[in-house]
Amino acid sequence: MTNVSLQEMAGKLMADGFSHSGPAARALSDPIAETPMVVTLDDLHPYELDPRLTRNPLYDEIKASIRERGLDAPPPITRRPGADHFIIRNGGNTRLAVLRELWSETKSESFFRILCLFRPWPERGEIIALTGHLAENELHGRLTFIERALGVEKARELYEQESGKSLSQSELARRLSADGFPVPQSHISRMQDTVRYLLPSIPSVLYNGLGRHQVERLAVLRKASELTWEKYAGGQSLNIEFETLFHDVLAPFDEQPGTFSGDRVQDELIGHMSELLGIDYNVLELDVDSIEHRQRAVNSPPLLPVEATTVDTVIKTDTTPIHPPTSTRNDSAAADAPVATSNDTIAQPSPMQIAETNAVINEGDTEARLQSHIISPADSTERLQTIQQLVANHTGEPLPTFTDNVLQAIPVQAGGLFPISDVWYIEPGLESPDRLRIHIAQFAQEIAEEAELANYIEADKAGIGFTCTPHEQSVSPPLFARMVLALLHALSTPHSAEPGKAVLHLDDSLGALFLGTDARDTKVLPRLSDDGLVKFFRLVRLARRLLDLEANPDKPDH
């Protein structure tokens, strides 16, 4: 083999055959898999379609946390194909705004260069990004109703671009749910009404956080008033349309967001309608109230299936106003009802009239059955319900609701520090001895409060979670208090007898505590309230599960 000098080897390597003939890449392509990377604030932009339009109510807390601890949870980022900057993938626009503010204030590199997790732009990128931001914002910082409504409206536009056709409200609800942001169809209807009819008139009130229930009240009021207007304005020549009238009445209320009142809006609207139509205020108010009730009956279907009812009674017209749901005022509902003919026979109701009548009857019946199971109302914010539902969707754990299970499980509702909506069901997050003891002790104290003896109950980290201190022998509480104390003592962690303390034993007065009568002479005695009884059942259920867990931690609940 011929020896080759270094100069000759260098010349061969520099020959044209080894030269790079293709175009030089100006930048590396984005990773095709999830990849951690460091980006600067100059490289990272907020998501342009972020549904949050107002300041995050948790902004100051988030800023203080990032200032003290740094960015514990860097936002996930992505990049559209061909774009020159990264964007927040889902949630995190608030954190990005905080970082920009802290960088401006401190010039610290820790706020300028951040480690993020890059995720490739998905095939349905815009829709996935928008629904992701909707879900994340719902979990962290709470969107106002109008922000949610505008976000859903933008999602509808993207879905229609994707499919090339318009979507019904039910189809939109299905697609949103499939992409991780479930919204009931009835809410979508209210959202669209809000964007179309309310936002042009009261933007400040809406952006300041007008809640869903108030928005629904306004939407139902607008529809009921419009139907009433059309009923009386048909034969008159008026120089104003109802839509203009509604806007003119509603717009002045946008000046006082903190004192907004739906009742005042209704009063003003009906007052203006009365002047323009020449109809008595009270007549219009009765019509509007009646149509509002019918609208709620149509838009709020029964919570549980009910058997079909055969309507074989004669529907009579009556000018005497009565309270809904059996209202027969002289309104559009009465106009649709069967009318007596000249020979006093009654026309048969149409299928639509029967359906509307059943909807009203069933709504009243379902509501009555629902209310009969509520011992004391259990407060729960809309935000908490949304978070619980999102967590349940993520974990796959079914989330029982009081209204859905009211006639299916053991669904007695009672309020308190730990509200009860199902006596038997135990949430997965409660399946630990420490958590169970906390709940058990609280229920024991609330039961004892009925007898004004809450100070006799002490939380305990052993046993089932509480101890019951006997009263002084020299002090004799009323019979009811002694019975409550004896009942709780029988369940509680054993307490050693102390000199001077009364010995608590369950005796034959236990029946009186639960039933309110003495079996021996049937005299009426104080008894545990329904609220206390539900809490006692719940206490026993949790205590049994606690003992099962400690005896066999792997034993499933049943």
Side-chain angles (χ1 to χ4, degrees), residues 3 30 34 45 107 124 154 164 230 241 262 354 361 370 399 418 436 443 495 499 509 515 520:
N3 293 329
D30 289 333
E34 292 186 358
H45 292 193
K107 299 301 180 184
R124 302 172 62 242
K154 185 61 182 179
E230 292 174 352
E241 298 290 335
I354 292 175
I361 293 172
L370 174 65
L399 180 67
F418 301 123
L436 288 169
F443 288 137
H495 195 286
S509 62
L515 304 179
R520 292 166 296 188

Side-chain angles (χ1 to χ4, degrees), residues 127-193:
I127 293 174
I128 298 302
L130 178 57
T131 53
H133 277 272
L134 281 167
E136 284 295 318
N137 278 303
E138 199 64 41
L139 281 172
H140 305 290
R142 188 80 175 119
L143 293 173
T144 63
F145 185 84
I146 186 59
E147 289 173 330
R148 210 177 307 125
L150 290 170
V152 168
E153 184 66 13
K154 185 61 182 179
R156 180 188 62 79
E157 294 178 12
L158 295 177
Y159 283 127
E160 291 182 349
Q161 291 175 11
E162 181 183 50
S163 62
K165 61 181 182 180
S166 60
L167 299 182
S168 65
Q169 292 176 358
S170 59
E171 177 62 14
L172 176 57
R174 187 192 68 78
R175 295 197 181 202
L176 285 169
S177 180
D179 285 330
F181 187 67
V183 181
Q185 184 271 329
S186 59
H187 288 195
I188 291 177
S189 175
R190 290 288 178 255
M191 288 173 176
Q192 292 180 349
D193 286 348

Side-chain angles (χ1 to χ4, degrees), residues 259-521:
T259 59
F260 184 84
S261 169
D263 291 334
R264 290 179 55 211
V265 173
Q266 177 171 327
D267 181 65
E268 287 291 326
L269 181 58
I270 295 176
H272 281 74
M273 290 171 59
S274 177
E275 293 178 6
L276 293 168
L277 296 171
I279 306 295
D280 183 73
Y281 178 98
N282 293 324
V283 173
L284 294 177
E285 184 181 31
L286 290 175
D287 280 359
V288 169
D289 285 346
S290 178
I291 297 174
E292 279 186 342
H293 181 77
R294 293 174 60 208
Q295 287 293 314
R296 292 192 180 95
V298 171
N299 294 324
S300 302
L303 297 172
L304 293 169
V306 293
E307 296 182 20
T309 304
T310 302
V311 179
D312 54 3
T313 57
V314 176
I315 304 176
K316 299 181 179 180
T317 58
D318 188 356
T319 57
T320 305
I322 59 177
H323 295 292
T326 56
S327 174
T328 54
R329 298 190 190 112
N330 183 24
D331 57 8
S332 57
D336 291 338
V339 181
T341 61
S342 58
N343 59 356
D344 294 334
T345 60
I346 304 299
Q348 291 298 317
S350 68
M352 179 61 72
Q353 293 162 1
I354 292 175
E356 290 183 354
T357 302
N358 284 343
V360 173
I361 293 172
N362 290 340
E363 183 198 38
D365 179 59
T366 302
E367 180 64 21
R369 295 159 78 185
L370 174 65
Q371 293 299 324
S372 70
H373 286 75
I374 298 178
I375 303 302
S376 62
D379 294 330
S380 180
T381 65
E382 185 182 353
R383 179 187 181 192
L384 177 59
Q385 293 172 1
T386 302
I387 292 175
Q388 290 173 334
Q389 185 62 57
L390 289 172
V391 171
N393 292 340
H394 178 72
T395 61
E397 178 73 23
L399 180 67
T401 59
F402 178 69
T403 52
D404 290 341
N405 294 340
V406 69
L407 296 179
Q408 300 174 13
I410 311 177
V412 183
Q413 187 178 99
L417 181 61
F418 301 123
I420 300 170
S421 60
D422 191 316
V423 173
W424 191 256
Y425 177 76
I426 298 177
E427 299 83 354
L430 201 57
E431 287 274 348
S432 72
D434 291 342
R435 293 282 297 164
L436 288 169
R437 285 190 177 93
I438 292 172
H439 282 241
I440 291 169
Q442 179 62 33
F443 288 137
Q445 290 176 343
E446 291 180 7
I447 293 170
E449 282 178 1
E450 289 194 20
E452 299 182 354
L453 296 174
N455 57 326
Y456 285 77
I457 305 299
E458 296 180 2
D460 194 337
K461 295 182 179 180
I464 67 167
F466 71 95
T467 58
C468 186
T469 305
H471 60 83
E472 300 287 344
Q473 288 183 346
S474 58
V475 178
S476 180
L479 175 61
F480 173 70
R482 297 200 304 272
M483 290 189 295
V484 170
L485 208 56
L487 175 66
L488 294 175
H489 178 72
L491 297 175
S492 68
T493 304
H495 195 286
S496 57
E498 298 180 16
K501 298 288 186 180
V503 179
L504 298 174
H505 294 294
L506 284 174
D507 54 21
D508 54 5
S509 62
L510 182 61
L513 178 62
F514 289 130
L515 304 179
T517 59
D518 190 321
R520 292 166 296 188
D521 55 14

Side-chain angles (χ1 to χ4, degrees), residues 232-265:
Y232 290 106
Q236 302 186 41
S237 58
L238 302 171
N239 58 0
I240 186 173
E241 298 290 335
F242 176 80
E243 191 167 337
T244 303
L245 171 63
F246 183 76
H247 171 79
D248 291 345
V249 170
L250 189 57
F253 289 89
D254 197 41
E255 299 176 358
Q256 300 175 331
T259 59
F260 184 84
S261 169
D263 291 334
R264 290 179 55 211
V265 173

